[in-house]
Amino acid sequence: MKIGCVKEIKNNEFRVGLTPDNVKTYVAAGHHVYMERGAGIGSGFTDNEYVDAGASIIDNAAEVWSLVDMMIKVKEPLESEYKFFREGLILYTYLHLAADKEQTDALLAGKVKAVAYETIEDNGLPCLAPMSQIAGRLSIQEGAKYLEKKFGGEGILLAGVPGTPKANVVILGGGTVGMNACKIAVGMGANVTILDVNLKRLEELDNMFGAHIQTLVSTDSNIERVLKDADLVIGSVLIPGASTPKLFKKKYLPEMKDGAVFVDVAIDQGGCGESSRVTTHDDPVYIVDGVVHYCVGNMPGAVPRTSTIALTNATLKYGLMIANQGLEKACENRAISTGVNCYLGKLTNKNVAEAHGYEYTSLGDMI
C-alpha cells in the first residue's frame, strides 16, 4: 500500500503522524511511504532521518495526497485540505466529527474511508489514551500558569507555601484525562475534588489517591457547590465519538471566584462548558464573567516530541493492520471497525450520526 504523511497545518500543531521508526516498520512490511518535506521538523525529526528509514520525500502536500492509498495524520483535515478528498482514500487520523459538521459533510461527499483514532475500541480507547494522558497532565500545568495575575487569574500559587491556602482544583470526569490531571494536581500539593457519574470509577480513584482527594458523584448540585470555591476547574468529560455533555453551565460563572480558571480539555469534542469556544495556542484564553477560559483544541501539540512518540506508539499497530490487509479485511477485527466513522459516503458511527441528525449505516451492511 502507498502510505502518506503531510505536515500538519492547524495553528501551532507541531506533531507528525509518522516517526522515522514508524516509516521503517511500514517499509519492512512491503509498503511505500511518502512524506511531505519538513513534515517532522516540529517534532524534531529531519527529512534525512525519514529518507534513511526508507521514505520518499515529496515537496508539496497536494502531491502526497494524490499519490497515496492511506493518509496518516494527527489532527483532522482543515477546510483547505477538503479538496484532496477522493473516493476510496483511507484517512487515518483524529477526526472528532461530532463537533464538526462541515468536515463530516466533506468526508461524506468525497466518499472517503475515514478511520478515527478516537473511536477505535480495544480494551478501552488505545489511540486516544496517550493524548488524554498528556492533555490531562498539561491541563494542570496550563491552569497553574493562567492563575497568574498577568493572565487574568487570581494570582495564586497552586501548591501554596507554608502559612498560605493551597488552590482548590475541581476535575469534572474521572477518566484518563481526569486521572492524569488528578495525579499532577495532587503531586503539586493542591486540594483536589474529582467528580464522575461512575461509582466504581470513583472507588478506583479513591484507592489510587486515598486521603489526597475528595471524590463526589457528578450531579448538578454537587458541581455547582464545589465550583463556588474552585480556583482551577478541569473539564475532562468524554463520550466516545459523541458531543460532550455541557456540565459546566453559564449560570455557575457569576458564583465563582473572579480570576478562577476553567480548562476545557473536551473542547475538541464540542466542550463540556456552555461558555466554551475553541481557542488556539496563539490566543489560548478569554474571560467570561471573571472566569478565565482555556479551550485550546490541540493541547498536546504544545509538547510535540513527547506527543508524537506517544501517539504513534499507539496508532502504528492498527495502521499496519489496515496497510497489510486492506481496510475491509482489517475490519474483521472489531478495533478497526469501531474506528471507521465514514465509508464511501455513509456515516458508520452511530454517535456521530446522532450528533448531526444524519442517517446511520452499519459498516457490516456495506462490507
Side-chain angles (χ1 to χ4, degrees), residues 315-349:
T315 59
L316 178 63
K317 170 184 174 181
Y318 304 104
L320 270 175
M321 290 172 62
I322 296 170
N324 290 340
Q325 302 173 33
L327 180 60
E328 289 72 18
K329 178 69 174 175
C331 281
E332 293 178 8
N333 183 302
R334 182 178 179 276
I336 303 295
S337 65
T338 55
V340 180
N341 282 209
C342 301
Y343 186 84
L344 298 178
K346 301 291 184 181
L347 262 181
T348 53
N349 181 284

Tab-separated table of all heavy atoms in Angstrom, residues 315-349:
chain	number	residue	atom	x	y	z
A	315	THR	N	-0.844	4.171	17.510
A	315	THR	CA	-1.540	4.086	16.222
A	315	THR	C	-0.871	3.135	15.231
A	315	THR	O	-1.523	2.655	14.296
A	315	THR	CB	-1.649	5.478	15.570
A	315	THR	OG1	-0.325	6.023	15.382
A	315	THR	CG2	-2.456	6.422	16.447
A	316	LEU	N	0.407	2.869	15.405
A	316	LEU	CA	1.151	2.053	14.435
A	316	LEU	C	0.520	0.671	14.246
A	316	LEU	O	0.366	0.193	13.118
A	316	LEU	CB	2.605	1.919	14.874
A	316	LEU	CG	3.502	1.049	13.982
A	316	LEU	CD1	3.612	1.639	12.579
A	316	LEU	CD2	4.888	0.894	14.612
A	317	LYS	N	0.169	0.034	15.334
A	317	LYS	CA	-0.379	-1.325	15.287
A	317	LYS	C	-1.591	-1.406	14.356
A	317	LYS	O	-1.673	-2.292	13.492
A	317	LYS	CB	-0.774	-1.751	16.702
A	317	LYS	CG	-1.579	-3.030	16.784
A	317	LYS	CD	-2.007	-3.310	18.219
A	317	LYS	CE	-2.945	-4.507	18.313
A	317	LYS	NZ	-3.378	-4.754	19.715
A	318	TYR	N	-2.502	-0.483	14.490
A	318	TYR	CA	-3.753	-0.531	13.709
A	318	TYR	C	-3.521	-0.050	12.280
A	318	TYR	O	-4.125	-0.565	11.339
A	318	TYR	CB	-4.824	0.302	14.415
A	318	TYR	CG	-5.041	-0.150	15.836
A	318	TYR	CD1	-4.537	0.588	16.911
A	318	TYR	CD2	-5.700	-1.346	16.122
A	318	TYR	CE1	-4.703	0.163	18.222
A	318	TYR	CE2	-5.865	-1.782	17.430
A	318	TYR	CZ	-5.359	-1.028	18.472
A	318	TYR	OH	-5.521	-1.469	19.764
A	319	GLY	N	-2.620	0.931	12.114
A	319	GLY	CA	-2.281	1.367	10.765
A	319	GLY	C	-1.662	0.252	9.950
A	319	GLY	O	-1.955	0.079	8.761
A	320	LEU	N	-0.801	-0.541	10.581
A	320	LEU	CA	-0.182	-1.685	9.898
A	320	LEU	C	-1.218	-2.731	9.512
A	320	LEU	O	-1.136	-3.331	8.432
A	320	LEU	CB	0.882	-2.322	10.787
A	320	LEU	CG	2.306	-1.792	10.672
A	320	LEU	CD1	3.192	-2.457	11.704
A	320	LEU	CD2	2.871	-1.988	9.267
A	321	MET	N	-2.203	-2.953	10.381
A	321	MET	CA	-3.260	-3.910	10.060
A	321	MET	C	-4.019	-3.475	8.805
A	321	MET	O	-4.303	-4.285	7.923
A	321	MET	CB	-4.231	-4.042	11.245
A	321	MET	CG	-3.643	-4.754	12.444
A	321	MET	SD	-4.720	-4.686	13.907
A	321	MET	CE	-6.163	-5.564	13.303
A	322	ILE	N	-4.319	-2.170	8.737
A	322	ILE	CA	-5.025	-1.653	7.559
A	322	ILE	C	-4.157	-1.771	6.319
A	322	ILE	O	-4.620	-2.188	5.247
A	322	ILE	CB	-5.441	-0.184	7.795
A	322	ILE	CG1	-6.449	-0.089	8.943
A	322	ILE	CG2	-6.025	0.416	6.517
A	322	ILE	CD1	-6.718	1.333	9.400
A	323	ALA	N	-2.886	-1.406	6.436
A	323	ALA	CA	-1.981	-1.443	5.287
A	323	ALA	C	-1.745	-2.876	4.807
A	323	ALA	O	-1.725	-3.146	3.600
A	323	ALA	CB	-0.656	-0.782	5.643
A	324	ASN	N	-1.573	-3.793	5.727
A	324	ASN	CA	-1.246	-5.180	5.367
A	324	ASN	C	-2.439	-5.940	4.788
A	324	ASN	O	-2.291	-6.760	3.880
A	324	ASN	CB	-0.728	-5.938	6.594
A	324	ASN	CG	0.645	-5.466	7.033
A	324	ASN	OD1	1.384	-4.859	6.260
A	324	ASN	ND2	0.994	-5.734	8.281
A	325	GLN	N	-3.629	-5.660	5.326
A	325	GLN	CA	-4.805	-6.448	4.950
A	325	GLN	C	-5.779	-5.719	4.040
A	325	GLN	O	-6.648	-6.356	3.434
A	325	GLN	CB	-5.556	-6.879	6.219
A	325	GLN	CG	-4.717	-7.680	7.196
A	325	GLN	CD	-5.451	-7.936	8.500
A	325	GLN	OE1	-6.678	-8.080	8.531
A	325	GLN	NE2	-4.716	-7.990	9.605
A	326	GLY	N	-5.645	-4.384	3.948
A	326	GLY	CA	-6.692	-3.587	3.327
A	326	GLY	C	-7.741	-3.290	4.380
A	326	GLY	O	-7.953	-4.076	5.309
A	327	LEU	N	-8.429	-2.160	4.250
A	327	LEU	CA	-9.357	-1.745	5.299
A	327	LEU	C	-10.484	-2.749	5.498
A	327	LEU	O	-10.843	-3.078	6.635
A	327	LEU	CB	-9.938	-0.362	4.972
A	327	LEU	CG	-10.933	0.187	6.001
A	327	LEU	CD1	-10.272	0.328	7.372
A	327	LEU	CD2	-11.496	1.532	5.541
A	328	GLU	N	-11.040	-3.242	4.404
A	328	GLU	CA	-12.199	-4.124	4.516
A	328	GLU	C	-11.853	-5.408	5.271
A	328	GLU	O	-12.584	-5.837	6.174
A	328	GLU	CB	-12.753	-4.451	3.128
A	328	GLU	CG	-13.449	-3.282	2.443
A	328	GLU	CD	-12.494	-2.188	1.965
A	328	GLU	OE1	-11.275	-2.456	1.846
A	328	GLU	OE2	-12.956	-1.061	1.732
A	329	LYS	N	-10.746	-6.014	4.939
A	329	LYS	CA	-10.330	-7.236	5.635
A	329	LYS	C	-9.958	-6.923	7.083
A	329	LYS	O	-10.296	-7.686	8.011
A	329	LYS	CB	-9.134	-7.845	4.906
A	329	LYS	CG	-8.570	-9.116	5.557
A	329	LYS	CD	-9.521	-10.289	5.444
A	329	LYS	CE	-8.884	-11.565	5.956
A	329	LYS	NZ	-9.826	-12.705	5.965
A	330	ALA	N	-9.291	-5.786	7.294
A	330	ALA	CA	-8.883	-5.398	8.645
A	330	ALA	C	-10.085	-5.160	9.545
A	330	ALA	O	-10.000	-5.340	10.760
A	330	ALA	CB	-8.010	-4.145	8.594
A	331	CYS	N	-11.223	-4.784	8.950
A	331	CYS	CA	-12.423	-4.517	9.741
A	331	CYS	C	-13.046	-5.778	10.337
A	331	CYS	O	-13.995	-5.692	11.122
A	331	CYS	CB	-13.465	-3.772	8.905
A	331	CYS	SG	-13.112	-1.999	8.752
A	332	GLU	N	-12.512	-6.935	9.971
A	332	GLU	CA	-12.934	-8.150	10.668
A	332	GLU	C	-12.481	-8.111	12.124
A	332	GLU	O	-13.020	-8.817	12.977
A	332	GLU	CB	-12.370	-9.381	9.966
A	332	GLU	CG	-12.961	-9.609	8.579
A	332	GLU	CD	-12.359	-10.805	7.863
A	332	GLU	OE1	-11.576	-11.551	8.507
A	332	GLU	OE2	-12.651	-10.995	6.665
A	333	ASN	N	-11.460	-7.288	12.379
A	333	ASN	CA	-11.042	-7.015	13.753
A	333	ASN	C	-11.908	-5.870	14.280
A	333	ASN	O	-11.969	-4.796	13.697
A	333	ASN	CB	-9.560	-6.608	13.773
A	333	ASN	CG	-9.038	-6.376	15.171
A	333	ASN	OD1	-9.548	-5.544	15.913
A	333	ASN	ND2	-8.005	-7.117	15.534
A	334	ARG	N	-12.589	-6.096	15.389
A	334	ARG	CA	-13.549	-5.115	15.899
A	334	ARG	C	-12.895	-3.761	16.180
A	334	ARG	O	-13.527	-2.705	15.999
A	334	ARG	CB	-14.222	-5.628	17.180
A	334	ARG	CG	-15.283	-4.673	17.733
A	334	ARG	CD	-15.982	-5.212	18.965
A	334	ARG	NE	-16.952	-4.242	19.447
A	334	ARG	CZ	-16.657	-3.224	20.247
A	334	ARG	NH1	-15.398	-3.062	20.661
A	334	ARG	NH2	-17.585	-2.373	20.642
A	335	ALA	N	-11.646	-3.765	16.614
A	335	ALA	CA	-10.967	-2.499	16.924
A	335	ALA	C	-10.955	-1.580	15.702
A	335	ALA	O	-11.241	-0.380	15.814
A	335	ALA	CB	-9.543	-2.762	17.397
A	336	ILE	N	-10.642	-2.135	14.542
A	336	ILE	CA	-10.607	-1.326	13.321
A	336	ILE	C	-12.014	-0.902	12.923
A	336	ILE	O	-12.251	0.260	12.561
A	336	ILE	CB	-9.943	-2.090	12.157
A	336	ILE	CG1	-8.522	-2.545	12.542
A	336	ILE	CG2	-9.903	-1.225	10.896
A	336	ILE	CD1	-7.554	-1.435	12.792
A	337	SER	N	-12.960	-1.802	12.988
A	337	SER	CA	-14.326	-1.477	12.549
A	337	SER	C	-14.932	-0.363	13.397
A	337	SER	O	-15.673	0.479	12.888
A	337	SER	CB	-15.221	-2.718	12.579
A	337	SER	OG	-15.407	-3.188	13.891
A	338	THR	N	-14.618	-0.330	14.692
A	338	THR	CA	-15.158	0.741	15.530
A	338	THR	C	-14.530	2.087	15.203
A	338	THR	O	-15.097	3.139	15.508
A	338	THR	CB	-14.932	0.440	17.032
A	338	THR	OG1	-13.535	0.206	17.268
A	338	THR	CG2	-15.726	-0.776	17.478
A	339	GLY	N	-13.368	2.061	14.562
A	339	GLY	CA	-12.714	3.304	14.181
A	339	GLY	C	-13.260	3.932	12.916
A	339	GLY	O	-13.067	5.124	12.672
A	340	VAL	N	-13.956	3.148	12.097
A	340	VAL	CA	-14.458	3.664	10.819
A	340	VAL	C	-15.685	4.543	11.064
A	340	VAL	O	-16.734	4.066	11.477
A	340	VAL	CB	-14.806	2.516	9.850
A	340	VAL	CG1	-15.328	3.087	8.530
A	340	VAL	CG2	-13.581	1.638	9.601
A	341	ASN	N	-15.545	5.831	10.815
A	341	ASN	CA	-16.644	6.787	11.015
A	341	ASN	C	-17.415	7.055	9.734
A	341	ASN	O	-18.626	7.287	9.762
A	341	ASN	CB	-16.110	8.111	11.554
A	341	ASN	CG	-15.790	8.078	13.027
A	341	ASN	OD1	-15.856	9.091	13.718
A	341	ASN	ND2	-15.432	6.910	13.550
A	342	CYS	N	-16.707	7.078	8.613
A	342	CYS	CA	-17.336	7.295	7.300
A	342	CYS	C	-16.799	6.252	6.328
A	342	CYS	O	-15.606	5.941	6.352
A	342	CYS	CB	-17.016	8.685	6.748
A	342	CYS	SG	-17.523	10.060	7.780
A	343	TYR	N	-17.704	5.758	5.470
A	343	TYR	CA	-17.274	4.760	4.492
A	343	TYR	C	-18.034	4.975	3.187
A	343	TYR	O	-19.253	4.775	3.121
A	343	TYR	CB	-17.514	3.342	5.019
A	343	TYR	CG	-16.969	2.249	4.127
A	343	TYR	CD1	-15.637	1.861	4.199
A	343	TYR	CD2	-17.792	1.613	3.189
A	343	TYR	CE1	-15.128	0.872	3.383
A	343	TYR	CE2	-17.296	0.622	2.356
A	343	TYR	CZ	-15.961	0.258	2.459
A	343	TYR	OH	-15.452	-0.736	1.628
A	344	LEU	N	-17.327	5.452	2.177
A	344	LEU	CA	-17.884	5.621	0.822
A	344	LEU	C	-19.216	6.363	0.823
A	344	LEU	O	-20.191	5.945	0.205
A	344	LEU	CB	-18.026	4.257	0.137
A	344	LEU	CG	-16.707	3.490	-0.084
A	344	LEU	CD1	-16.982	2.140	-0.734
A	344	LEU	CD2	-15.736	4.303	-0.929
A	345	GLY	N	-19.250	7.477	1.550
A	345	GLY	CA	-20.431	8.340	1.529
A	345	GLY	C	-21.476	8.045	2.580
A	345	GLY	O	-22.522	8.705	2.603
A	346	LYS	N	-21.208	7.101	3.464
A	346	LYS	CA	-22.162	6.750	4.514
A	346	LYS	C	-21.532	6.972	5.891
A	346	LYS	O	-20.339	6.730	6.081
A	346	LYS	CB	-22.612	5.294	4.387
A	346	LYS	CG	-23.268	4.946	3.052
A	346	LYS	CD	-24.617	5.620	2.905
A	346	LYS	CE	-25.309	5.176	1.606
A	346	LYS	NZ	-26.629	5.854	1.429
A	347	LEU	N	-22.369	7.382	6.850
A	347	LEU	CA	-21.905	7.533	8.230
A	347	LEU	C	-22.032	6.200	8.938
A	347	LEU	O	-23.125	5.637	9.030
A	347	LEU	CB	-22.743	8.582	8.973
A	347	LEU	CG	-22.172	9.990	9.070
A	347	LEU	CD1	-23.113	10.893	9.849
A	347	LEU	CD2	-20.795	9.994	9.714
A	348	THR	N	-20.919	5.713	9.461
A	348	THR	CA	-20.903	4.381	10.067
A	348	THR	C	-20.597	4.432	11.558
A	348	THR	O	-20.277	3.412	12.162
A	348	THR	CB	-19.869	3.490	9.343
A	348	THR	OG1	-18.596	4.154	9.325
A	348	THR	CG2	-20.309	3.209	7.910
A	349	ASN	N	-20.700	5.620	12.136
A	349	ASN	CA	-20.569	5.763	13.592
A	349	ASN	C	-21.880	6.333	14.119
A	349	ASN	O	-22.288	7.436	13.744
A	349	ASN	CB	-19.398	6.682	13.948
A	349	ASN	CG	-19.225	6.835	15.447
A	349	ASN	OD1	-19.986	7.544	16.105
A	349	ASN	ND2	-18.216	6.170	15.998
